[in-house]
Amino acid sequence: METGIPQGSPAAPILFITYLSGIFEEVERECEEVRALSFADDISWWAEGKTEEEVANKLSNVAEVACRWGDRNGVTFDHNKSEAILFSRRRKAPTATIRTGGTEVAFNKETARWLGVWLDSHLTLRDYQKVMLKKGRKAWARLKRLTEQMGLTAGNCPKVMTACVQSVAMYGSELWWKGEGKQGMAGGAAELQKLVNLEARAVTGCFRMTNQAALGNEAGLRPAVAQLNNRQRRFGAQLLALPWGDEARKIVGAPSGIERRLEEALGYLGRMEETITLPLAAKRLDLETIVEVREEVKRTAGRERAGLTIFTDGSRASNGATGYAVTWKNRSKWVGVKTHLGYNQEAFDTECAALAHALELVARRRVAPEAVTIYTDAQAAMRKIVAEEPGPEQKYAVLARKWVAALKQTRPEVRIEIR
């Protein structure tokens, strides 16, 4: 060839789009109820109708007009790669076919891929969610070695997970995410949260039983729901930032489901997690925490101690149910309370709640004991109860101060230990 441009030249796509632009005008002029959707050499046609046969006939006419234009302008279409999908509320699979260049193209019964998005006939995008989640897990499996001892620094690990794993798993989530608590959204958000937990454990090296809120904070990774909400808000803001007249900008304000979701995302911040902090004038918690080895704990717990001795324990069952128990000896009889915390807590939450409740029970006694000893097997909960900085379950630290202050007011010389 004596004329042309080099392969890979940046001018090639511009020239190709310019040369191909004539087909859209001709097809839309001859087929008035059809609109073009194209990207580079991927040409798509959109037609509406009351029946599948009506839609198939309209698209068959489009194919005929496009082929005539191609014959006049030296453009050849690969009919074997042509696909069609019918968006409908009907559950019955379509049977009509589209004629294109001597080939019969049937509507896809499951999904069709267009510009990297898997579209199903009901536009639920559930198959697309599964595909992107699978890609995200593969990315995590390839990158988790970089978070090990001889890998990246601790500060770079969460950045890599965010850029290479979450960006893949949540790509296009702006299209299917309807918001927390909406029908059909719990499963998708839960699967993404599991992936975020895997990333957080890879970054921190923590065990599977680690509290999820603390795990995410330490890893520097936000919960899946917060990320999904933020991506949708950002998508809506980007659309509004486009110039007037841009077709994409018209999505915000159009009478459609995604328009309503974008308006909610832009105008409503969603569920807010309450952050409880201690007052500036709060005094240091007046109790002592003692960490002992198992053998020492068994020895000291079995002997008689002055005042009141309380035992606490919290747990999370395999079905997700959580709760705690607080027990103490009343003369020769063991008594106590059990509390169910529901299905949305972690074992760490139950241990903190048990300690706070134990202090409340002591403070509400008619006669305050001379000494209080509380036994727990959760060192993390012990540290949280006396912590002064904000963090997961800080509300129990605030409650602990409240009940300790009430107890000290009744009996100032009372000695409180948590072991």
Side-chain angles (χ1 to χ4, degrees), residues 185-199:
M185 294 294 101
E191 291 300 319
L192 285 171
Q193 184 60 50
K194 290 179 182 178
L195 179 59
V196 173
N197 294 341
L198 289 176
E199 299 170 44

Side-chain angles (χ1 to χ4, degrees), residues 107-157:
F107 289 109
N108 287 0
K109 294 183 179 180
E110 295 181 357
T111 59
R113 183 182 180 185
W114 189 65
L115 300 182
V117 179
W118 294 89
L119 303 171
D120 56 273
S121 59
H122 299 294
L123 286 178
T124 62
L125 298 182
R126 290 194 180 95
D127 294 278
Y128 173 70
Q129 295 177 41
K130 295 177 182 177
V131 170
M132 300 312 296
L133 185 62
K134 186 176 180 180
K135 289 183 177 181
R137 286 173 176 163
K138 287 183 177 179
W140 169 81
R142 292 191 293 266
L143 291 172
K144 66 177 180 178
R145 287 191 176 184
L146 295 177
T147 64
E148 295 175 357
Q149 186 175 3
M150 303 302 292
L152 298 172
T153 61
N156 287 328
C157 289

Side-chain angles (χ1 to χ4, degrees), residues 171-182:
Y171 178 75
S173 61
E174 299 87 348
L175 300 176
W176 59 264
W177 178 245
K178 299 178 182 178
E180 187 179 11
K182 299 297 179 64

Side-chain angles (χ1 to χ4, degrees), residues 271-314:
R271 187 188 70 180
M272 302 295 291
E273 294 187 0
E274 185 180 9
T275 301
I276 300 176
T277 58
L278 297 176
L280 294 177
K283 297 180 180 179
R284 185 172 180 83
L285 187 59
D286 191 8
L287 60 78
E288 184 180 3
T289 58
I290 302 173
V291 179
E292 300 174 312
V293 296
R294 184 184 297 270
E295 291 74 16
E296 182 66 18
V297 171
K298 289 181 179 179
R299 186 179 64 81
T300 59
R303 72 186 184 190
E304 291 292 332
R305 303 181 65 88
L308 179 65
T309 301
I310 299 177
F311 296 86
T312 67
D313 187 36

Side-chain angles (χ1 to χ4, degrees), residues 48-322:
E48 296 183 17
K50 295 183 179 180
T51 63
E52 61 181 78
E53 290 78 12
E54 180 183 353
V55 173
N57 290 333
K58 289 181 179 180
L59 294 177
S60 296
N61 295 334
V62 168
E64 183 180 352
V65 175
C67 288
R68 289 202 304 265
W69 182 92
D71 293 338
R72 295 197 308 270
N73 294 274
V75 176
T76 304
F77 299 99
D78 191 346
H79 301 289
N80 294 324
K81 290 185 178 180
S82 299
E83 287 186 276
I85 186 168
L86 182 69
F87 301 120
S88 171
R89 290 190 176 92
R90 296 177 57 187
R91 296 187 177 182
K92 185 179 178 181
T95 56
T97 58
I98 302 167
R99 302 179 304 277
T100 169
T103 305
E104 295 287 331
V105 179
F107 289 109
N108 287 0
K109 294 183 179 180
E110 295 181 357
T111 59
R113 183 182 180 185
W114 189 65
L115 300 182
V117 179
W118 294 89
L119 303 171
D120 56 273
S121 59
H122 299 294
L123 286 178
T124 62
L125 298 182
R126 290 194 180 95
D127 294 278
Y128 173 70
Q129 295 177 41
K130 295 177 182 177
V131 170
M132 300 312 296
L133 185 62
K134 186 176 180 180
K135 289 183 177 181
R137 286 173 176 163
K138 287 183 177 179
W140 169 81
R142 292 191 293 266
L143 291 172
K144 66 177 180 178
R145 287 191 176 184
L146 295 177
T147 64
E148 295 175 357
Q149 186 175 3
M150 303 302 292
L152 298 172
T153 61
N156 287 328
C157 289
K159 295 179 182 178
V160 169
M161 290 297 175
T162 301
C164 302
V165 179
Q166 295 180 9
S167 62
V168 173
M170 298 185 185
Y171 178 75
S173 61
E174 299 87 348
L175 300 176
W176 59 264
W177 178 245
K178 299 178 182 178
E180 187 179 11
K182 299 297 179 64
Q183 184 178 6
M185 294 294 101
E191 291 300 319
L192 285 171
Q193 184 60 50
K194 290 179 182 178
L195 179 59
V196 173
N197 294 341
L198 289 176
E199 299 170 44
R201 285 198 289 271
V203 170
T204 60
C206 292
F207 297 111
R208 292 177 60 88
M209 297 299 292
T210 307
N211 172 263
Q212 292 181 8
L215 183 66
N217 286 342
E218 290 296 327
L221 299 173
R222 289 177 297 169
V225 170
Q227 294 191 58
L228 291 169
N229 289 335
N230 186 57
R231 290 177 72 94
Q232 196 164 61
R233 283 194 294 268
R234 187 169 55 192
F235 178 57
Q238 288 174 346
L239 291 177
L240 290 176
L242 295 173
W244 288 99
D246 192 291
E247 291 297 321
R249 195 185 195 282
K250 297 178 182 179
I251 294 177
V252 182
S256 63
I258 188 173
E259 179 273 333
R260 289 191 296 271
R261 297 198 295 270
L262 289 175
E263 280 195 347
E264 290 179 6
L266 290 169
Y268 176 60
L269 297 177
R271 187 188 70 180
M272 302 295 291
E273 294 187 0
E274 185 180 9
T275 301
I276 300 176
T277 58
L278 297 176
L280 294 177
K283 297 180 180 179
R284 185 172 180 83
L285 187 59
D286 191 8
L287 60 78
E288 184 180 3
T289 58
I290 302 173
V291 179
E292 300 174 312
V293 296
R294 184 184 297 270
E295 291 74 16
E296 182 66 18
V297 171
K298 289 181 179 179
R299 186 179 64 81
T300 59
R303 72 186 184 190
E304 291 292 332
R305 303 181 65 88
L308 179 65
T309 301
I310 299 177
F311 296 86
T312 67
D313 187 36
S315 63
R316 185 175 189 271
S318 57
N319 65 349
T322 58

